[in-house]
Amino acid sequence: MTERMYVKTFLYVWVYVMALALVFFLVFDWTSTLSFFLGSAVTVMLMSHNYKTSMRTAANNPEAIKKTATFNAVFRYLFYALILLIAYLSDGLDLIFTFIGFTSFKVTLLLTFLLSKKEGGENDD
């Protein structure tokens, strides 16, 4: 996976989220759609934080990249757990659709990777 492909995913994920949110709204209900969108927004926010801190650490202090990656993973999963707890305790959110939203970035990243390979791939920088 190249850095460029990872960055492209931040644009493509919103197309994926809007399309799936529309499908969820038409097939299910507003609660499912809102929950999915919440999960998607949270995962994009956390992956952006992960990307920015990792790139900053790699540029300024490459020796600390392992510590930064570990911190980012722990922070990300604790934040996911908090959002799932809020969805569980809330009357206006659906736990399952929030979790499905959490998968948005990874699904889009996978699709971006597969489409890139199908089109002949990108040059690694």
Side-chain angles (χ1 to χ4, degrees):
M1 170 182 58
T2 65
E3 180 182 349
R4 192 174 349 163
M5 198 180 323
Y6 193 82
V7 171
K8 280 183 180 180
T9 304
F10 285 102
L11 173 64
Y12 298 153
V13 71
W14 292 114
V15 175
Y16 173 84
V17 167
M18 292 303 162
L20 209 53
L22 179 62
V23 169
F24 286 164
F25 181 72
L26 295 173
V27 174
F28 299 106
D29 58 5
W30 175 247
T31 300
S32 302
T33 306
L34 181 63
S35 300
F36 170 74
F37 192 80
L38 170 68
S40 298
V42 165
T43 197
V44 170
M45 177 190 71
L46 290 173
M47 294 307 283
S48 175
H49 173 267
N50 183 50
Y51 175 75
K52 289 175 185 175
T53 57
S54 296
M55 290 298 111
R56 189 177 318 120
T57 301
N60 297 332
N61 186 7
E63 299 82 32
I65 195 73
K66 184 176 179 181
K67 181 179 177 183
T68 300
T70 302
F71 174 80
N72 283 344
V74 169
F75 176 75
R76 194 168 70 241
Y77 289 113
L78 287 175
F79 202 86
Y80 287 150
L82 175 66
I83 297 300
L84 286 175
L85 178 65
I86 291 169
Y88 176 74
L89 297 174
S90 171
D91 290 334
L93 294 172
D94 184 279
L95 186 68
I96 301 300
F97 283 91
T98 304
F99 181 79
I100 293 169
F102 287 164
T103 66
S104 296
F105 190 86
K106 295 291 184 170
V107 169
T108 307
L109 182 63
L110 179 63
L111 291 172
T112 302
F113 179 75
L114 292 174
L115 290 174
S116 172
K117 291 293 181 187
K118 190 173 186 173
E119 293 172 357
E122 292 187 15
N123 296 330
D124 287 329
D125 296 329

